[in-house]
Amino acid sequence: MEDESEGLFYLGVGPIAAVLLGMALVPLRSVTTASNFTFLFLALTILVAEFGGRWPAVATALCSALSLDFFLTQPYLRLTIEDKHDIIAFAGLAVCGLIAAAFGSQRSRRTADLDRANTHLDLLHLSLRRVEEAGPPETALADVVRAVRGALPVSAVVVRDEQGHVLAASERGPSVPTAAHALAAESLLASGDGGFAPRGQPFPPDGGRIELFFGNRRVGALEVWGNGCPASEEDRRTLADLARAVGAVAAAHRTLHTD
């Protein structure tokens, strides 16, 4: 949600900045040719692509070309061009701006993917450390549950034992009912109607349940409620791996309370 709102912000700011830049350069249009101004518009497009993504950068590139035409090429304050060199500058700015937008947005996406991967690794590292550490299993599960909400697109997380008793829950966990869907541990698809695709679709908002096993013995369930944001393939894989670690902790809880 934060990335989406940031993209909308730059979708508005980028084109406005292109218009304002054209207006600011008006006093200089008699000093040099319009083609020399294209570098400033390209720099603006690259900045918007870096921080806002593809579509804000595309909008900025198109508005930059129009701003160059309207404010800085003769006849001024008209969307027509007299000089063939200005036509080349206009076309070159439009094409180079779109190229910069495409490559800049790919870099932003790769950076976002890398940040997400690091977040997933931190979550798995925490869960494995809690498996290894001595101490009450309930404390370990509580730490993992809190970390899940910060790393994955979920609004609530609950861990239950094999009898259905709550072992750990996020802040909203105790206030939500039992998860409505059974999820396959590997693909995290809803069983039955098959209503959840492996790519892009959020985790079920009315809850999905992953059965926890340790040593071929069922030891409980991990329940998650989606927050409406898309769940990528990496999100689903991380949750499936996390369920294995949670299963080990739940098994320790079961052993502790049956001995």
Side-chain angles (χ1 to χ4, degrees):
M1 295 300 288
E2 183 178 351
D3 292 341
E4 182 178 350
S5 61
E6 187 172 333
L8 291 175
F9 172 77
Y10 283 101
L11 185 61
V13 168
I16 292 174
V19 174
L20 294 177
L21 178 60
M23 295 173 62
L25 294 173
V26 167
L28 302 177
R29 64 190 180 189
S30 60
V31 177
T32 184
T33 60
S35 60
N36 291 328
F37 297 127
T38 59
F39 300 104
L40 297 175
F41 288 105
L42 278 175
L44 174 63
T45 301
I46 291 171
L47 286 174
V48 172
E50 179 68 23
F51 293 103
R54 172 177 296 176
W55 295 116
V58 168
T60 302
L62 296 177
C63 287
S64 293
L66 293 175
S67 181
L68 177 75
D69 178 15
F70 190 77
F71 293 109
L72 304 173
T73 63
Q74 296 181 351
Y76 300 126
L77 303 183
R78 293 177 60 186
L79 292 177
T80 56
I81 302 176
E82 290 181 351
D83 193 293
K84 66 177 182 180
H85 298 292
D86 289 339
I87 295 176
I88 294 174
F90 171 83
L93 174 60
V95 172
C96 291
L98 292 175
I99 293 174
F103 281 96
S105 63
Q106 289 178 6
R107 180 182 175 185
S108 298
R109 186 162 54 251
R110 287 194 297 269
T111 301
D113 290 342
L114 180 60
D115 291 341
R116 188 181 303 111
N118 287 335
T119 301
H120 290 175
L121 287 175
D122 289 342
L123 174 61
L124 293 176
H125 178 72
L126 170 66
S127 63
L128 292 175
R129 189 170 72 246
R130 290 294 184 266
V131 169
E132 295 174 345
E133 290 177 348
E138 294 86 351
T139 302
L141 289 174
D143 290 342
V144 172
V145 162
R146 282 194 296 269
V148 170
R149 287 195 60 192
L152 298 176
V154 299
S155 61
V157 185
V158 174
V159 180
R160 302 180 188 272
D161 62 16
E162 65 270 30
Q163 281 81 37
H165 302 137
V166 174
L167 301 180
S170 62
E171 294 86 341
R172 290 182 52 193
S175 65
V176 295
T178 303
H181 301 273
L183 302 181
E186 291 301 327
S187 61
L188 290 179
L189 300 174
S191 60
D193 56 8
F196 299 96
R199 290 182 179 272
Q201 294 296 324
F203 292 123
D206 50 352
R209 184 179 67 260
I210 306 171
E211 299 295 341
L212 302 177
F213 292 89
F214 188 78
N216 294 324
R217 180 190 295 271
R218 182 180 179 276
V219 293
L222 173 65
E223 300 178 344
V224 296
W225 283 259
N227 63 4
C229 294
S232 67
E233 185 176 348
E234 290 75 18
D235 292 329
R236 296 172 185 276
R237 186 182 299 114
T238 298
L239 185 59
D241 291 339
L242 178 69
R244 296 186 177 94
V246 171
V249 180
H253 176 275
R254 181 178 185 278
T255 302
L256 184 65
H257 288 79
T258 54
D259 289 345

